Amino acid sequence: MQHLIETDDFELKEILSILDDAKRFKKERVNPVALLRDKLLFTLFFENSTRTRSSFEVAAKKLGAAVVHLDPTRSSTNKGESIEDTFANLGAMDPDGIIIRHEDNDIARKLADMNLASVINAGAGNRAHPTQALLDLFTLKEHFGELEGKKVAIIGDIANSRVASSLLLLLPRFGVELKLVAPKPFMPQEASCEKYENIADIIDDIDAIISLRAQLERHKKPIFDDYSTYASHYCITEEILDNRDIIVMHPGPVMRNIDISDEVLSDSRCKVLTQVNNGVYVRMAVLKKLLIDS
Ligand code: CP
């Protein structure tokens, strides 16, 4: 039984095979043979989600799987049941996979260690969001082809972002040079990449920007009183991009005119909705990998 808790759970050749499958699924457009027609998946989201939950459900259904969503706000965890017991009870229904998002950095790994079903991490605290990183990798490769030597700036609340944590592990495996741009409270001290406080310092030396929102729900106390001042330094605008050949990405949800301006969101260089589209095909490939190929 194989789990996906962090992208390091996959060897390079496994990731390349996921990217190949995702490319094929995207090219074919029509639903492939119902590869997962005998499979049962639970989705268990203890934190809000628009993209990841629906993307997993669409991906699973395109492959013919049955998907059952358990709403944690109405589950018996509210009556005091531990998450391990919740998981053991779901496991007793013989699912093939459980897709989980939780604020705790370690819970997905702990549940995977119970080996009741293949566990797929759909977002763990600020630690990991492996399928987002994989779909970002796919989107970069789709645009650039070879990634060796490409320079990508991650801009925003990097310290509190699980997407950034996963990208920091994944993209250098493909030869990407990462540059981090953030005000001090948003900069992870432990990261070993080049660090900058100003976009102007890197804008002429990058191929792509991955913008991130302020993760307000993970701030123990407010970090900035006024996000319009923050935006005046870190919002990606047409003025910043000018006529440069740079693509702009963001995992969503985008805080309009704080992370990325309205104009840039409508610019052909902005790949935000391409990322969402690619997410379905990448998650189809991840489900195939974990539930069929492993
Ligand atoms: N990118 C992402 O995780 O979005 P959601 O929180 O809407 O799932």
Side-chain angles (χ1 to χ4, degrees):
M1 183 180 299
Q2 192 175 15
H3 309 284
L4 174 58
I5 308 304
E6 182 46 278
T7 54
D8 278 3
D9 292 337
F10 289 145
E11 292 175 16
L12 208 56
K13 66 174 192 268
E14 294 178 294
I15 295 175
L16 289 171
S17 137
I18 286 169
L19 297 179
D20 279 349
D21 279 341
K23 191 172 173 181
R24 188 165 51 83
F25 289 146
K26 182 168 180 174
K27 192 169 167 209
E28 285 169 3
R29 289 284 172 186
V30 292
N31 294 348
V33 182
L35 290 171
L36 302 186
R37 63 183 164 275
D38 300 325
K39 305 294 183 189
L40 169 64
L41 291 163
F42 280 112
T43 57
L44 194 52
F45 279 65
F46 287 87
E47 287 187 329
N48 296 337
S49 171
T50 295
R51 281 145 290 270
T52 311
R53 181 186 152 193
S54 49
S55 178
F56 265 118
E57 292 190 11
V58 170
K61 286 177 180 175
K62 275 178 178 277
L63 292 173
V67 183
V68 175
H69 177 66
L70 178 70
D71 178 359
T73 63
R74 294 180 178 276
S75 79
S76 291
T77 51
N78 285 336
K79 299 180 197 166
E81 184 172 62
S82 72
I83 187 160
E84 289 84 356
D85 282 338
T86 300
F87 217 71
N89 279 271
L90 294 180
M93 298 178 209
D94 292 333
D96 299 283
I98 302 182
I99 298 162
I100 181 163
R101 168 173 288 189
H102 200 282
E103 64 184 5
D104 187 303
N105 280 1
D106 301 314
I107 206 80
R109 180 71 73 192
K110 279 187 199 153
L111 299 177
D113 289 344
M114 291 168 75
N115 262 330
L116 297 170
S118 184
V119 174
I120 305 170
N121 175 12
N126 70 353
R127 172 74 57 78
H129 194 345
T131 57
Q132 180 68 46
L134 288 169
L135 76 88
D136 290 348
L137 172 69
F138 181 90
T139 305
L140 287 165
K141 276 186 82 66
E142 182 176 58
H143 185 82
F144 293 113
E146 177 56 49
L147 292 184
E148 185 72 41
K150 292 291 176 204
K151 295 174 182 172
V152 175
I154 303 181
I155 300 177
D157 187 1
I158 303 163
N160 296 294
S161 166
R162 53 190 168 217
V163 177
S165 302
S166 287
L167 289 170
L168 283 163
L169 283 180
L170 181 65
L171 294 186
R173 291 173 77 187
F174 288 81
V176 172
E177 187 184 318
L178 290 172
K179 297 172 188 285
L180 308 185
V181 185
K184 281 197 179 68
F186 286 174
M187 185 64 82
Q189 295 315 313
E190 66 284 1
S192 58
C193 317
E194 290 176 20
K195 296 174 189 160
Y196 300 87
E197 261 193 87
N198 301 303
I199 295 177
D201 295 336
I202 51 96
I203 194 69
D204 287 319
D205 190 28
I206 54 170
D207 302 290
I209 288 171
I210 299 178
S211 168
L212 300 171
R213 79 184 165 92
Q215 308 283 313
L216 301 178
E217 70 278 22
R218 285 197 267 285
H219 297 169
K220 291 192 177 70
K221 55 181 186 184
I223 293 181
F224 297 111
D225 295 332
D226 176 7
Y227 273 87
S228 60
T229 307
Y230 167 85
S232 67
H233 291 96
Y234 297 100
C235 183
I236 311 305
T237 61
E238 289 286 348
E239 195 184 352
I240 286 173
L241 290 183
D242 199 9
N243 60 0
R244 294 178 177 89
D245 186 16
I246 293 173
I247 63 166
V248 178
M249 296 165 54
H250 191 299
V254 178
M255 299 293 106
R256 279 181 176 263
N257 301 309
I258 295 177
D259 307 335
I260 302 178
S261 72
D262 287 337
E263 293 73 26
V264 171
L265 284 165
S266 304
D267 189 305
S268 61
R269 290 171 289 183
C270 182
K271 302 297 174 193
V272 170
L273 293 180
T274 306
Q275 289 171 266
V276 176
N277 182 251
N278 288 341
V280 171
Y281 303 109
V282 169
R283 291 185 173 107
M284 287 168 75
V286 165
L287 292 173
K288 172 179 174 284
K289 163 76 185 131
L290 292 175
L291 304 184
I292 303 280
D293 299 343
S294 297

